[in-house]
Amino acid sequence: MRLIDAHQHFWSLETPGHEWPTDAEARIHRDFGPPDLAAAATGLPLEATVLVQSQPTNADTDWMLTLADRTPLIAAVVGWVDLAAAEAPNRISALAAHPKLRGLRPMLQSIKETDWLLRPELAPGLAALCDHGLCLDALVQPRHLPMLDHFAERWPDLPIVIDHAAKPYAAAGTLDPWRADIAALAERGLWCKLSGLRTEQAQGQAAELLQPYVDHLVSCFGERLMWGSDWPVLLLSGDTYPQWVETAVRLSGLSGAARERLFAGAAADFYVFDPERKTLCA
């Protein structure tokens, strides 16, 4: 089975502006880099990864791009820009010149204002994303899904992927209204990541309790669903990298071409791994 990780993180605690993890997350409160991932994924056919920002700072994005320059395994980078800043379009234009920069991720889950993404002052930065053929990673919670539907209607040519299936309330086993809201976004053509679900469960909960969530995602998104590890955040759940791969294979129930699409093809297509295929929004 081919394996492309659509969502993983590296961080250095010494990077200016580092906010999380803190010493309260002792299991992951240290530097993580490519050698750590190579060790974690030993024995797996990991071909490439999408490195996603973990800090809302320019310094973190610059650090990730420098790391990507010397790490062939990193096929794409999702960075961060202050979309509300007046200089956002210029910053996005500069970042887009890097061949591995594929998108941006505002940390919406940490912003109290649920409708923040709809603010008019963000429009120039969002237009710059389209102008440079970049995508948007939506780090959202269930409260954001109706807003995200309005946003996607407003920006129909901006490729959007929902991180961690919008973090459903898996610890409580709550499916609604997440189930209907996520289906509406799938119908609108958004993409989604099968990632981050184990850390939405309570400690000790069985992975099998995620089955109704995974079934719904597979049914709704089909070829627009991509697997991601969310490593090393994954470690907070107690799972290892290989364990989450095995769990996702089992819960997805997919085989053959459909399984390869989930675990490799969808990420490669969404993030346009071949720079020559990078196109602008219509």
Side-chain angles (χ1 to χ4, degrees):
M1 183 182 75
R2 296 178 61 215
L3 191 63
I4 293 175
D5 191 338
H7 196 107
Q8 57 87 199
H9 304 285
F10 295 134
W11 55 67
S12 170
L13 302 184
E14 298 303 315
T15 302
H18 178 89
E19 295 182 358
W20 190 91
T22 68
D23 54 9
E25 295 80 32
R27 189 174 293 177
I28 58 172
H29 188 235
R30 65 174 180 86
D31 293 353
F32 283 91
D36 301 293
L37 177 58
T42 297
L44 294 172
L46 184 60
E47 295 182 6
T49 76
V50 178
L51 176 59
V52 180
Q53 64 83 225
S54 62
Q55 314 299 318
T57 66
N58 291 331
D60 179 61
T61 296
D62 293 340
W63 177 81
M64 288 193 302
L65 291 173
T66 298
L67 193 62
D69 283 334
R70 61 175 186 264
T71 309
L73 185 66
I74 301 172
V77 173
V78 176
W80 178 90
V81 165
D82 181 0
L83 291 173
E87 63 271 17
N90 289 337
R91 171 66 172 166
I92 290 168
S93 179
L95 290 173
H98 193 285
K100 289 187 178 180
L101 195 281
R102 285 293 181 272
L104 297 178
R105 184 173 84 150
M107 302 191 78
L108 300 175
Q109 70 171 10
S110 301
I111 299 173
K112 290 183 179 179
E113 183 185 346
T114 299
D115 292 343
W116 180 85
L117 199 56
L118 300 178
R119 284 190 171 194
E121 62 265 33
L122 274 59
L126 294 167
L129 282 178
C130 276
D131 290 343
H132 292 285
L134 300 174
C135 65
L136 182 79
D137 265 56
L139 178 59
V140 294
Q141 298 165 324
R143 66 184 170 101
H144 295 99
L145 295 180
M147 176 280 296
L148 192 57
D149 189 61
H150 293 307
F151 177 83
E153 182 179 23
R154 183 180 295 182
W155 296 91
D157 298 310
L158 178 62
I160 302 170
V161 60
I162 303 167
D163 288 352
H164 313 321
K167 297 194 167 187
Y169 301 124
T174 303
L175 284 166
D176 299 315
W178 170 86
R179 181 161 41 189
D181 290 341
I182 205 82
L185 291 169
E187 289 179 8
R188 195 176 283 283
L190 272 65
W191 297 58
C192 189
K193 294 184 183 180
L194 178 58
S195 61
L197 294 180
R198 287 291 278 147
T199 46
E200 293 306 308
Q201 293 186 283
Q203 288 290 320
Q205 280 188 312
E208 281 65 30
L209 295 174
L210 294 172
Q211 190 69 67
Y213 300 95
V214 177
D215 287 346
H216 190 58
L217 295 170
V218 170
S219 174
C220 288
F221 289 95
E223 293 191 347
R224 286 176 285 114
L225 184 66
M226 63 188 80
W227 174 85
S229 69
D230 197 28
W231 182 93
V233 181
L234 169 71
L235 300 176
L236 293 175
S237 73
D239 277 6
T240 66
Y241 197 104
Q243 283 174 328
W244 172 235
V245 173
E246 189 277 331
T247 294
V249 169
R250 185 176 71 255
L251 295 181
S252 75
L254 299 176
S255 60
R259 186 172 69 179
E260 181 164 319
R261 177 71 184 177
L262 173 63
F263 285 91
D269 281 355
F270 182 80
Y271 288 108
V272 196
F273 281 4
D274 180 358
E276 297 304 316
R277 291 172 51 216
K278 193 174 181 182
T279 58
L280 301 182
C281 297

